[in-house]
Amino acid sequence: MRVLLAGGGTGGHLFPCLAVAKKLESLGYQVLYVGSKNGIEAKKKELLPKNHVLLDVKGIRGKGLKTVFNIFSLFKSLISAYKITKEFSPSKVVIFGGYVSFPIGISATLLKIPLILQEQNSIPGKTNRFLAKFASKILVGYKSAEKFFGRKTIFTGNPVREEIVSAFKERDRLKKKVLEKLHLSSQKKTLLVIGGSQGALWLNEIMKETIPLLTKFKDRLQIVHITGEGKNADLEKIYRSFSIEAKVFPFHEKIWELYSIADGAISRSGALSISEIAIFGIPTLFIPFPYAVDDHQYFNAKDVEESQGCILRRQNELSPQKLVDIIERLLFDIIISNELSKNIKKFGIENAVDKIVEEIIKDG
């Protein structure tokens, strides 16, 4: 069987796609990955399957001439996508979101190739809502997304990378190794702060104001903070000036190592972040990116909060003092942290990749 997989733009679309591609290849299926020259995949080519193509496709946004140009670009990408799909002649086409999904989804429909959608979020994007009418099945990461798609929907959970699941299974051994590598203490609680690819700046700024208030915990607290590219220098100085043990990274390739040492976390609530954190059962404060399309980050975390699996706050609901109070609950209130850990694990589907692959290869 030949399978064409498309998706990317952000890590939230790319990494689930790559996890499924890797599994299919390990089973002997021939895979073609299609992404965008304008997405994260163009910067991470070393992670892509050997057989891959990147199209020059963007979203139709902007005003005036910019919109006209983007529509022209989309038309060109449709022609390219059609040629690529026809030439590869896959048995199935599976899309994971991002700008490239639209031209590939349309191409599969025109060529009468069975189309499968994988929707990571609780609120589906416009592309998947449109393409759903042509799809043979829709695989969802949240049960709450089922109402948007009807009978063709199958709940699988969101696919996470093999490294995430392996790290969780070896967490105790890995934790010791990572703490030693980062020169952190096994006697302190570790808070992981993740800005994500969008909106990291706001988290960095509120943490700058919060750090002075955390000094009362400095003998039992250490922080690992991912700031986003080029935004780490100031924070390193501030942590140091208040004698709080902290490791600051602009980005971390092996995020599973940081999950392994985290006793609590502060994170945006992209679908992939929630799924990965849930595997490890990390007590977490989720702060949705307020400009996410359809406010989907809020609703992603809302599902978890309603199951008592996280603390959820919008940006405008937080102040430095409120953030300190929540950090104290996440790390130092054993009853609360244990309850959050137990309940968020329900949203971490370790075998989601296997479930998705099973649906792809079913029926030939």
Side-chain angles (χ1 to χ4, degrees):
M1 179 187 288
R2 299 154 72 86
V3 183
L4 190 155
L5 303 175
T10 65
H13 295 308
L14 175 64
F15 291 123
C17 184
L18 296 186
V20 172
K22 187 174 182 179
K23 182 68 176 181
L24 283 167
E25 287 184 324
S26 74
L27 295 173
Y29 295 100
Q30 191 172 347
V31 169
L32 171 64
Y33 166 76
V34 182
S36 168
K37 291 180 180 179
N38 304 294
I40 187 176
E41 55 269 33
K43 301 174 184 177
K44 302 287 181 183
K45 289 183 180 179
E46 71 279 4
L47 301 177
L48 304 182
K50 185 177 180 180
N51 193 16
H52 69 266
V53 179
L54 300 182
L55 300 180
D56 187 11
V57 57
K58 300 177 182 177
I60 304 175
R61 291 184 181 177
K63 295 180 180 179
L65 288 175
K66 186 176 180 182
T67 300
V68 172
F69 176 79
N70 286 342
I71 290 174
F72 177 70
S73 176
L74 177 62
F75 182 72
K76 283 177 62 181
S77 69
L78 276 167
I79 295 173
S80 298
Y82 184 87
K83 289 179 179 177
I84 289 165
T85 307
K86 186 175 182 179
E87 184 178 328
F88 184 63
S89 188
S91 304
K92 303 279 180 71
V93 170
V94 191
I95 62 175
F96 291 79
Y99 297 144
V100 75
S101 293
F102 180 77
I104 290 295
I106 293 297
S107 299
T109 302
L110 292 174
L111 292 165
K112 294 182 169 52
I113 299 168
L115 175 65
I116 298 172
L117 313 184
Q118 200 275 317
E119 175 57 60
Q120 294 101 34
N121 293 298
S122 57
I123 305 290
K126 290 179 182 178
T127 297
N128 273 358
R129 290 195 209 187
F130 175 76
L131 291 175
K133 64 188 76 171
F134 308 114
S136 59
K137 59 181 78 171
I138 301 101
L139 313 177
V140 297
Y142 283 87
K143 288 185 178 179
S144 58
E146 292 176 348
K147 62 180 178 284
F148 293 94
F149 297 122
R151 294 180 181 178
K152 293 189 282 189
T153 312
I154 300 166
F155 172 71
T156 58
N158 278 321
V160 298
R161 289 167 282 179
E162 181 183 30
E163 293 89 346
I164 300 287
V165 177
S166 297
F168 169 66
K169 290 178 178 177
E170 300 178 9
R171 187 177 189 179
D172 290 341
R173 182 192 64 79
L174 185 61
K175 180 176 182 177
K176 184 174 184 295
K177 179 181 175 181
V178 175
L179 286 172
E180 289 175 355
K181 183 169 77 171
L182 297 179
H183 304 291
L184 293 172
S185 171
S186 60
Q187 304 303 310
K188 291 182 178 181
K189 294 289 186 180
T190 303
L191 176 70
L192 176 61
V193 182
I194 314 170
S197 58
Q198 293 180 309
L201 182 59
W202 182 89
L203 269 176
N204 295 341
E205 292 303 313
I206 195 170
M207 282 303 295
K208 288 178 184 179
E209 298 178 49
T210 304
I211 289 167
L213 305 179
L214 291 172
T215 53
K216 62 180 178 178
F217 303 124
K218 66 181 181 182
D219 293 333
R220 52 189 179 132
L221 168 69
Q222 56 197 7
I223 297 174
V224 178
H225 189 141
I226 300 176
T227 62
E229 296 291 347
K231 302 168 186 173
N232 54 315
D234 287 350
L235 273 160
E236 284 181 319
K237 292 177 184 176
I238 296 171
Y239 280 121
R240 198 179 307 120
S241 68
F242 286 94
S243 303
I244 293 176
E245 182 66 41
K247 302 297 177 184
V248 181
F249 302 98
F251 180 75
H252 202 284
E253 289 281 356
K254 299 180 179 179
I255 188 67
W256 51 87
E257 291 188 348
L258 305 187
Y259 290 146
S260 74
I261 64 173
D263 297 293
I266 299 172
S267 175
R268 292 303 193 186
S269 46
L272 182 63
S273 295
I274 291 177
S275 297
E276 293 181 346
I277 287 169
I279 294 285
F280 283 83
I282 302 168
T284 301
L285 164 64
F286 287 115
I287 309 170
F289 180 56
Y291 307 109
V293 178
D294 297 322
D295 203 16
H296 69 260
Q297 286 207 5
Y298 175 79
F299 290 102
N300 287 347
K302 189 66 178 172
D303 274 20
V304 184
E305 185 198 39
E306 288 176 352
S307 296
Q308 289 79 52
C310 73
I311 297 173
L312 170 62
R313 295 289 186 275
R314 292 191 183 273
Q315 287 184 182
N316 60 11
E317 296 174 326
L318 287 168
S319 65
Q321 184 56 59
K322 287 179 179 177
L323 194 54
V324 169
D325 294 340
I326 292 171
I327 290 170
E328 184 172 15
R329 290 162 63 193
L330 290 176
L331 297 179
F332 304 117
D333 188 316
I334 296 174
I335 293 174
I336 290 175
S337 62
N338 286 346
E339 189 70 10
L340 291 174
S341 178
K342 179 183 74 175
N343 291 328
I344 196 173
K345 281 183 178 178
K346 299 170 188 174
F347 291 84
I349 313 297
E350 291 181 39
N351 64 340
V353 170
D354 293 333
K355 288 182 177 182
I356 289 169
V357 168
E358 183 181 335
E359 291 300 331
I360 292 171
I361 64 179
K362 191 183 289 184
D363 308 320

